[in-house]
Amino acid sequence: MTLRETFEKEEHERLSRFAAFSDESRGRDVPEAESDIRTIYQRDRDRIIHCKAFRRLKHKTQVFLSPYGDHYRTRLTHTLEVSQIARTIAKAVRANEDLTEAIALGHDLGHTPFGHAGERALTNVSGRIFRHSEQSARVVERLEKNGKGLNLTWEVRDGFRNHGTSSKPATLEGDIVRISDKIAYVNHDIDDGIRAGLLKEEMLPKECTDILGHTTSGRINHIILDVVEHSMDRPRVAMSEETEKAFFSLRQFMFEELYRNPAAKGEEKKAEEIISMLYSHYLGHPEELKGEYCAMLEQGEEPEVTVCDYIAGMTDNYAVMTFQDIYLPRAWRQY
């Protein structure tokens, strides 16, 4: 018996009956020989960590565009916080930690530069709704490894596609990532908002903090404990009615006070203009696309889709640098 087979056997002995077992995966689009020492979901996790799109997350916006300070979250640090929260919940409710971690680490691979501003801009200029959740799946199915993709399992890709608020993942593990994403961003965005001087702890709704806690760590701990308590031996994760009401009220407060705050989002119109102008340029000059993107056009991919793929893969800095290279005289450039 290989180590992988031993791990698969142990999963059936210790995990919940609602967990996704490694040896029962719906598999990959292209069948592969199994590893002797890693389960199928461990291999997916490792492929995600080593891919180019994962490395680029460190230079993509979470909430604040190019903040002054080293301690604000980026898309990468957000991803790591989601992974930590999701693994904690998965371990407690006896879900498959490896699948949970793989989904968490890759759920935002398709995010554009400049956060949701970039997502809106690509939607506006392309005439197609651009969803980073769908793009995350596209990254691993079509774009990575010079157009070959990572050939990840169906369960991981389903978790990418369905981590949004109104979505319903097919697995318990995908559901854990979906709720962990919200737990992470609401609480770490409060922390960043306070760091930026846009929020104060005492500004948070008292009816929420009296239930959830009066510190970032206290709130995260309370919500995780609540989710675990109300999700044990169930096919889906959930919060208690009291915690859920307080949490989503706090989330609504964040939309009103931070996510739509001109002081935090005042530069986003400029970011959207950069994305729009890059899209127009490359749609008119597709020969300037690089590497696998040129190959995709030669294979018959629609130019509008390929240009969106190219721009969505840019980091914030690379998008600005490319914009300057195209539209600004050399003497005016900052990079």
Side-chain angles (χ1 to χ4, degrees):
M1 180 180 288
T2 65
L3 275 176
R4 171 185 54 79
E5 291 170 328
T6 300
F7 296 150
E8 291 170 346
K9 181 175 181 291
E10 289 174 349
E11 285 182 0
H12 285 277
E13 294 170 351
R14 63 183 173 82
L15 297 185
S16 162
R17 61 195 173 102
F18 299 112
F21 298 102
S22 298
D23 60 354
E24 295 179 0
S25 168
R26 289 176 57 168
R28 311 180 188 281
D29 286 347
V30 180
E32 298 179 11
E34 296 287 356
S35 166
D36 286 341
I37 62 172
R38 291 177 295 166
T39 67
I40 198 167
Y41 298 134
Q42 287 177 320
R43 294 181 78 187
D44 281 2
R45 175 203 61 201
D46 296 348
R47 291 178 185 187
I48 291 165
I49 288 175
H50 290 286
C51 77
K52 293 186 294 184
F54 184 79
R55 295 195 291 275
R56 291 196 299 266
L57 294 176
K58 66 182 177 179
H59 293 304
K60 292 197 176 191
T61 291
Q62 176 61 24
V63 172
F64 295 93
L65 293 175
S66 300
Y68 293 102
D70 294 332
H71 300 131
Y72 291 90
R73 271 73 172 187
T74 65
R75 192 62 59 181
L76 177 60
T77 55
H78 161 73
T79 292
L80 296 176
E81 292 184 29
V82 173
S83 177
Q84 178 268 319
I85 292 170
R87 284 194 60 186
T88 298
I89 295 173
K91 188 178 185 70
V93 303
R94 295 184 298 122
N96 191 315
E97 286 183 64
D98 296 323
L99 173 56
T100 303
E101 186 176 27
I103 296 171
L105 290 172
H107 79 283
D108 272 355
L109 290 178
H111 248 297
T112 62
F114 314 125
H116 290 285
E119 200 168 11
R120 288 194 302 271
L122 284 181
T123 293
N124 291 336
V125 296
S126 70
R128 305 165 185 238
I129 297 175
F130 183 95
R131 292 187 176 94
H132 74 272
S133 53
E134 288 289 340
Q135 189 70 11
S136 295
R138 181 166 170 79
V139 165
V140 300
E141 291 172 350
R142 184 74 174 89
L143 303 180
E144 276 290 329
K145 293 187 70 175
N146 297 318
K148 297 177 182 177
L150 300 181
N151 199 30
L152 302 186
T153 57
W154 181 90
E155 291 80 5
V156 170
R157 291 177 286 134
D158 172 81
F160 292 175
R161 286 190 167 95
N162 293 291
H163 74 267
T165 300
S166 59
S167 300
K168 189 175 182 180
T171 63
L172 170 62
E173 292 76 10
D175 210 35
I176 289 171
V177 173
R178 184 184 62 84
I179 202 168
S180 298
D181 184 32
K182 294 168 184 56
I183 296 170
Y185 76 66
V186 168
N187 285 288
H188 67 48
D189 291 349
I190 289 173
D191 189 45
D192 280 356
I194 291 172
R195 180 171 290 106
L198 299 176
L199 295 176
K200 294 181 180 179
E201 179 67 35
E202 53 268 28
M203 290 173 59
L204 305 182
K206 191 172 184 297
E207 64 272 19
C208 299
T209 57
D210 282 349
I211 294 170
L212 302 177
H214 295 281
T215 64
T216 298
S217 60
R219 283 186 287 271
I220 292 174
N221 186 62
H222 172 91
I223 297 169
I224 289 175
L225 290 174
D226 185 89
V227 168
V228 169
E229 180 183 351
H230 291 85
S231 307
M232 200 68 72
D233 296 320
R234 295 182 180 179
R236 296 281 159 182
V237 290
M239 301 178 190
S240 66
E241 185 177 345
E242 180 184 57
T243 294
E244 183 177 55
K245 182 179 178 180
F247 176 74
F248 280 97
S249 293
L250 182 59
R251 181 173 176 267
Q252 182 60 37
F253 167 85
M254 290 295 289
F255 273 94
E256 295 168 358
E257 297 296 326
L258 185 66
Y259 301 143
R260 299 178 185 136
N261 188 326
K265 301 296 185 179
E267 299 290 289
E268 285 194 348
K269 284 296 179 185
K270 299 175 185 177
E272 291 179 27
E273 284 297 320
I274 289 175
I275 296 292
S276 298
M277 294 177 73
L278 288 175
Y279 180 87
S280 296
H281 176 80
Y282 284 114
L283 197 60
H285 301 84
E287 72 280 359
E288 294 184 18
L289 295 175
K290 304 214 169 72
E292 61 267 30
Y293 301 97
C294 287
M296 287 166 60
L297 289 174
E298 293 171 0
Q299 294 164 11
E301 189 70 78
E302 295 179 58
E304 293 84 357
V305 173
T306 304
V307 171
C308 280
D309 287 336
Y310 185 57
I311 294 173
M314 294 180 176
T315 63
D316 294 22
N317 290 344
Y318 188 77
V320 172
M321 181 184 70
T322 303
F323 173 83
Q324 291 179 340
D325 285 344
I326 294 171
Y327 290 107
L328 295 186
R330 185 176 298 275
W332 296 358
R333 300 175 195 170
Q334 296 179 4
Y335 293 91

